[in-house]
Amino acid sequence: QLQLQESGPGLVKPSETLSLTCTVSGGSISSSSYYWGWIRQPPGKGLEWIGSIYYSGSTYYNPSLKSRVTISVDTSKNQFSLKLSSVTAADTAVYYCARDQIVVRWFDPWGQGTLVTVSS
Amino acid sequence: DIQMTQSPSSLSASVGDRVTITCRASQSISSYLNWYQQKPGKAPKLLIYAASSLQSGVPSRFSGSGSGTDFTLTISSLQPEDFATYYCQQSYSTQFTFGPGTKVDIK
């Protein structure tokens, strides 16, 4: 059964870079049928797609975050990563990683999520 | 980008009720519409993809319909474990967007 697990610091200072890693187990990140995505959810609010990456390194980003986001993949470790630069309090959220199906583009399964707080 | 709206934003219902949630896109998205269920403190779970296809393992009381700009998620007989927030997501554009959510709670 495919599982995803987010990891990274739970507290980031304003203006610094948020870095998270998603480890995929129970399946290969190099599958030709899937992208791998990041989605976030500010406390008490809705879901916002951040971006997705293919195992080859091809990426799609949310235009509203594109200037600050980098998503990368490490197929040797079965991991993909998120970097969000110049963070502010508005970037405080639960960050989820999820498998992104290549045709219809649904997200399933999701990791459990990790809360990242931006505060000095 | 494509904007998604949902109605109602919240509803109260009883066990056994038939519940319908509506999702509307700002432009035609064909059938590129997915539905998720999220319980408090948990990750979203895919229920329906491509507007009307039931994800494996999801109870048959959940169904989806619609195409173009208007879509519905129906729960035929609400069960205690169905009290949650439901989100739609368009995947017509690769700039994916979610609806604001519909919270279903106990009457």
Side-chain angles (χ1 to χ4, degrees):
Chain A
Q1 181 183 359
L2 190 81
Q3 292 186 313
L4 295 87
Q5 177 70 57
E6 305 88 353
S7 60
L11 180 65
V12 181
K13 290 182 168 56
S15 80
E16 295 190 344
T17 296
L18 177 159
S19 296
L20 295 174
T21 295
C22 182
T23 301
V24 178
S25 59
S28 174
I29 202 169
S30 299
S31 168
S32 60
S33 300
Y34 301 101
Y35 275 77
W36 304 89
W38 288 98
I39 302 104
R40 70 180 183 178
Q41 184 172 38
K45 296 188 178 180
L47 300 163
E48 180 181 36
W49 171 72
I50 299 169
S52 296
I53 190 165
Y54 197 54
Y55 75 92
S56 64
S58 174
T59 53
Y60 292 96
Y61 295 137
N62 186 323
S64 68
L65 298 169
K66 187 174 183 177
S67 63
R68 299 193 291 130
V69 172
T70 303
I71 298 176
S72 59
V73 63
D74 186 336
T75 55
S76 67
K77 295 181 178 179
N78 231 31
Q79 295 176 334
F80 61 107
S81 298
L82 168 70
K83 291 189 185 299
L84 180 65
S85 65
S86 304
V87 297
T88 69
D91 295 309
T92 294
V94 175
Y95 286 76
Y96 296 100
C97 58
R99 186 177 65 174
D100 172 0
Q101 197 270 351
I102 200 168
V103 176
V104 178
R105 308 303 297 271
W106 41 249
F107 295 100
D108 183 75
W110 298 52
Q112 65 183 24
T114 187
L115 174 63
V116 179
T117 301
V118 178
S119 175
S120 56
Chain B
D1 57 343
I2 299 173
Q3 306 298 321
M4 308 300 294
T5 58
Q6 288 182 234
S7 61
S9 57
S10 65
L11 66 91
S12 296
S14 301
V15 173
D17 284 354
R18 181 181 182 87
V19 169
T20 298
I21 298 168
T22 297
C23 177
R24 178 166 289 172
S26 60
Q27 67 181 72
S28 177
I29 58 170
S30 184
S31 296
Y32 288 88
L33 191 284
N34 309 310
W35 288 98
Y36 301 85
Q37 176 194 65
Q38 186 178 34
K39 296 181 180 179
K42 300 294 187 182
K45 171 188 172 183
L46 178 69
L47 298 176
I48 302 284
Y49 63 91
S52 60
S53 295
L54 192 67
Q55 173 68 342
S56 176
V58 174
S60 59
R61 62 181 179 272
F62 291 93
S63 63
S65 65
S67 66
T69 60
D70 295 322
F71 302 85
T72 59
L73 172 70
T74 299
I75 309 171
S76 61
S77 177
L78 198 66
Q79 298 301 300
E81 60 267 31
D82 301 337
F83 292 96
T85 300
Y86 294 85
Y87 294 94
C88 59
Q89 174 234 336
Q90 67 80 18
S91 55
Y92 178 83
S93 160
T94 52
Q95 312 307 323
F96 309 127
T97 46
F98 291 86
T102 295
K103 184 177 181 180
V104 177
D105 60 21
I106 302 171
K107 181 183 284 184

